[in-house]
Amino acid sequence: MTRKILWFTFLLICSFGKSQVKEGFVLPENPKIGLSLSGGGAKGFAHIGVLKVIDSLGIKIDYISGTSMGAIIGGLYAAGYKADEIEKFVMKTDFYTLIANEKTRQETPFFYKTTDKYLLTLPIKNGKVNVLPKAISTGQKNIYLLEELFKNVSHITDFSELPIPFLCIATNLESGKMEIFEEGDLVSAIMASSAFPSLMDPVQINDSLYIDGAMTLNLPSEPLKNKGIDIVIGVDLSQPLTPKEQLNSVLAIFNQIIDFGIKKENKRQYEFTDITIKPDLSGLSATSYSDKEKILQSGYNETLKYTEVLSELPKRESSLRSSVHSVFSNVYKIDQLILENNNIFDQNYIQGKMNLKLPSLQTYGSINKMIGKLYATNNYYTINYDIIQQNNENHLKLILSEVDTRFFLKAGLHYDEVFKTGLLLNATIKRLLFRNSIISLDLIVGDKPRYYFNYFIDNGYIPGFGVYSSGMSFDFADGNNENISWNWVRNDVFIQSVWRDKFAVGGGFNHEYFKTNLHSTGNFINPYVFIKSDTRDDRNFPSRGFFMDINGKYLDFFNDNPEKKAFQTKALLNFNFPLSQSITYQLNFFGGITANKEISPYYKFRAGGIFEQELGNFTSFPGMKLAEISNDNMMSVSQTAQFRFQKNFFVAGNFNMLTVFDEVRIRDMLHIHYISGGLSLGYRSPLGPVKINYSMMINKKNSGIFNIMLGHWF
């Protein structure tokens, strides 16, 4: 036996000339093997390569410790996943999307879909402007992913009871001290361990905030020795300090400062590490997520150098680990909803926004979608969850981190051919009078001053109440080349609910005041009903999704003259069909019908111009000047082929048809009066969309029209 020990020690030293094997190392009888996985962001994918070699050799791992990405990879392995399974998950996951943590537009409530027009938002809390966020991401999408991956062990609160005992390291943000997590909620512990400053918000567990464990212990070998582990295999992802020539950014300097402490502590951890595997990751960084295959291979290649050594370590009873079956699609009967830390919003609001009926059958996929809708209200920093079994019932537990900021200042810029230059200033207040309410006031200063006021009590699927007011003015020339100065004030009271999770339905009364230089002043009160939907992935350059706005109103309801009353309906539909990753076919339809000819000129439908702003009975039609055509009834169809290139650039061609008719008859509705075509160039800029349009009539003689739009419409 002594000979074997000496031979093994000699082999270790000779095989790795560098200090990769602890000096004086001796292989004991029946050793316990521990795996210490360091942090490193994207460089942590090298751990998978290490695990692939360990799996191929059938080595029995008795304990795993991890920090940051090492906690994620190590946690998965401890939960029962094989290295190949972890590799598949990593390769198919877009980590840039996870970090960005962007809320999809499809998840966004209806109110916010009409207000995605601001370039700058400044939260105000306790009289102070909070300009800088805590981090780039709150980590909400990480929660969805980790809850899915770790559901097979979600019932385990003592990490030593996992298929492989496990611990992870985090740093207490208040005290700066290291915290070893060995029990509790596994997902929360791993989230805390990997919450890198500036990239991820600190994670609250009980009454403490935690950040990345790398700040205090990046290579967690000592805790394994304290657990009685005989041989610790450590995977150190640290690289040499950055030379001064490359310290040319705030981020580079920030990372260098962090690396000072990491390197110093790593050297101390080498005392507790028997075999140190250090992959060559030169030129790679913590954010090199696009190089994950290269990083993984580096870990694999480096570990292969240790094959002879590692093959001497104890083997599992079975050479292959059993696969972990995903529970993502499993169906669970949810009987109760448990809320933790819900100090602002009550259960009715939360269930309404989630569209959660109790009891109901749910999967983890459907739960993620429901929580995504709740998260998209912007009332929560993070929402963690778990399915808990109690008394033969499944309880969906939500751990909420609420946004308590109520006041916001916002701003935007825009230019178009209708309103010219405008600077948008906004004040928004949440929870004024009612906890589910939001009040928003837009003031636009510029060539055409205007305002928009919204107050809405959002009850989700329970009908909510709203008040709306707007005032604007603009100029146009009608079909007779008469210059019209159009002044319009609108005031609404309405109720609104959500139907089938996609449609906003409601009704109310509006008062409209009109004044022009050609017509007498008009005051009208109109009851109306509406149905709306907006599932587009982008308001300005949609590649998929559907938009619908259909309403019907009874014009001048309180007029004593029945001949002056009329029923009018209007429909605007937009369909977006992706033909490929870069090409989208768009189909647009507009229709307006009036059931009485004796209507005020203010309620005639008017077509012409290119705009994307809600302007009552005005509708866009390329190739014409603004409001060039007017009639009581009209329909238009537009087809557009949109091509995206270099991610944020777009070119589109459109073909448009318009018909006007006096009588609602099929033959009149199908007779095409106007045909136009156009070409547009677009750019999704940091300051909002930029569009340059050229359009002209095809069946009418007129010169082409150039049109420029800068920024979001408001």
Side-chain angles (χ1 to χ4, degrees), residues 189-257:
I190 290 175
M191 287 280 294
S193 179
S194 56
F196 188 80
S198 76
L199 286 182
M200 200 75 66
D201 278 0
V203 175
Q204 182 171 345
I205 299 178
N206 298 323
D207 295 328
S208 299
L209 290 175
Y210 296 93
I211 60 173
D212 199 309
M215 304 299 107
T216 48
L217 185 60
N218 193 45
L219 183 63
S221 298
E222 185 178 6
L224 291 179
K225 288 292 186 181
N226 294 336
K227 292 292 182 180
I229 296 300
D230 300 299
I231 300 176
V232 174
I233 303 171
V235 185
D236 181 12
L237 304 178
S238 64
Q239 299 297 302
L241 292 172
T242 304
K244 63 180 181 180
E245 294 80 11
Q246 300 177 21
L247 296 173
N248 49 14
S249 69
V250 173
L251 183 60
I253 294 173
F254 178 69
N255 288 333
Q256 183 87 329
I257 294 171

Side-chain angles (χ1 to χ4, degrees), residues 3-206:
R3 179 180 295 179
K4 183 176 180 181
I5 293 174
L6 293 174
W7 176 85
F8 186 63
T9 304
F10 176 79
L11 178 63
L12 289 175
I13 297 173
C14 294
S15 298
F16 308 99
K18 300 179 182 179
S19 59
Q20 305 289 350
V21 177
K22 188 176 181 181
E23 187 176 355
F25 170 78
V26 177
L27 181 66
E29 288 285 344
N30 301 316
K32 292 183 177 180
I33 311 301
L35 190 59
S36 172
L37 304 180
S38 69
K43 292 184 293 183
F45 300 144
H47 294 317
I48 305 171
V50 176
L51 294 174
K52 289 180 69 173
V53 177
I54 288 175
D55 273 355
S56 69
L57 297 175
I59 297 172
K60 181 179 181 295
I61 302 297
D62 297 286
Y63 224 116
I64 298 176
S65 65
T67 297
S68 197
M69 184 62 82
I72 297 174
I73 303 298
L76 290 170
Y77 196 73
Y81 288 92
K82 296 186 294 185
D84 288 343
E85 293 170 331
I86 302 174
E87 180 182 15
K88 289 178 182 178
F89 143 69
V90 166
M91 290 304 171
K92 71 178 184 181
T93 301
D94 185 350
F95 288 89
Y96 291 112
T97 301
L98 283 179
I99 294 174
N101 200 59
E102 295 178 351
K103 303 177 180 71
T104 65
R105 197 171 185 275
Q106 291 92 331
E107 297 169 335
T108 304
F110 281 100
F111 181 87
Y112 293 102
K113 287 180 179 179
T114 63
T115 58
D116 49 356
K117 56 192 175 186
Y118 306 107
L119 299 178
L120 178 67
T121 298
L122 300 177
I124 300 176
K125 187 176 181 180
N126 299 325
K128 299 180 180 179
V129 177
N130 185 13
V131 179
L132 297 177
K134 295 179 182 178
I136 294 175
S137 172
T138 64
Q140 185 61 42
K141 289 194 173 182
N142 298 60
I143 292 174
Y144 299 151
L145 183 62
L146 294 177
E147 287 290 352
E148 173 193 347
L149 291 172
F150 287 103
K151 182 52 196 167
N152 63 302
V153 293
S154 65
H155 61 286
I156 297 176
T157 57
D158 184 347
F159 302 167
S160 67
E161 296 178 1
L162 291 168
I164 299 177
F166 172 76
L167 63 87
C168 62
I169 308 299
T171 302
N172 188 301
L173 183 58
E174 186 175 10
S175 67
K177 295 181 179 179
M178 176 191 71
E179 183 80 21
I180 300 177
F181 282 100
E182 300 177 82
E183 60 183 14
D185 180 67
L186 181 59
V187 170
S188 296
I190 290 175
M191 287 280 294
S193 179
S194 56
F196 188 80
S198 76
L199 286 182
M200 200 75 66
D201 278 0
V203 175
Q204 182 171 345
I205 299 178
N206 298 323

